[in-house]
Amino acid sequence: WQRQGSEPLVLVAASSIYQDQVDLLGRIVEGLRQLAVRAVVTTRRAVDPAEVQAGANVEVLQTAPHTRVLREASVVVTNAGHGTVMKSLAAGVPLVCIPMDRDQRDNAVRVLRLGAGIRLSKKSTPAQIAATVTEILEHPQYLAAARRFADVLIWEAAHRPRAADEAE
């Protein structure tokens, strides 16, 4: 992955396992095509990137280095799996959470409680997705909340004992 353009960067990260997410990814991409953003969509093993139609401003890849992408990202659109939520918050990036299954609804609620993002229905339209990404880009309180929580995670990593230390 190589950053293209100077527009705000949106990372779209759906589940690494198949959850029938091709339609949702298509609606997300369709919504992002309407915006003055750059987007990178990662499908992982769950979906062949060829199943998701890219656009002039949207790149669809099987994988990309999320840690590197998150350093430049302005928003993450995700199904709210634990890994993506924690990586995004640790990087101080606000989220659009579109939970599909399992723990994702609970993770989305946690993001809402922090004020670090917005939850949408998995049936959201491209227009609703585009409006929500725009809401996060235009209202800095989401970024501020994500960065506050990133600071908490940094402090805890430096000052709290690790489980392995406690076990020893």
Side-chain angles (χ1 to χ4, degrees):
W1 174 79
Q2 186 69 10
R3 172 76 192 253
Q4 304 292 319
S6 59
E7 302 89 346
L9 180 63
V10 179
L11 171 62
V12 179
S15 182
S16 59
I17 62 168
Y18 184 76
Q19 293 185 16
D20 198 22
Q21 65 261 52
V22 174
D23 177 64
L24 176 59
L25 287 171
R27 285 183 278 124
I28 292 169
V29 168
E30 188 178 334
L32 293 174
R33 277 194 226 124
Q34 302 170 25
L35 303 177
V37 300
R38 287 280 174 180
V40 59
V41 178
T42 57
T43 63
R44 307 289 299 205
R45 296 178 304 235
V47 174
D48 180 345
E51 293 183 67
V52 182
Q53 187 177 357
N57 65 332
V58 180
E59 186 176 12
V60 181
L61 304 169
Q62 187 165 34
T63 188
H66 282 187
T67 303
R68 200 166 95 213
V69 176
L70 285 167
R71 280 189 224 127
E72 300 188 46
S74 298
V75 181
V76 173
V77 180
T78 179
N79 64 325
H82 183 264
T84 301
V85 167
M86 288 307 296
K87 285 178 192 175
S88 301
L89 290 174
V93 181
L95 301 108
V96 174
C97 298
I98 308 175
M100 298 180 72
D101 199 5
R102 299 186 318 263
D103 65 335
Q104 299 161 8
R105 288 184 226 14
D106 292 337
N107 296 333
V109 167
R110 290 177 180 101
V111 169
L112 295 176
R113 285 186 181 157
L114 291 171
I118 299 171
R119 178 181 56 197
L120 288 176
S121 164
K122 65 183 177 182
K123 297 178 181 177
S124 295
T125 66
Q128 290 169 320
I129 295 164
T132 303
V133 169
T134 300
E135 168 77 14
I136 287 181
L137 289 172
E138 291 180 351
H139 294 90
Q141 71 263 22
Y142 298 107
L143 176 61
R147 288 190 174 162
R148 277 193 305 273
F149 192 68
D151 290 341
V152 168
L153 292 174
I154 291 166
W155 185 89
E156 287 184 352
H159 296 93
R160 300 275 186 205
R162 297 179 327 187
D165 296 332
E166 289 293 309
E168 287 180 6

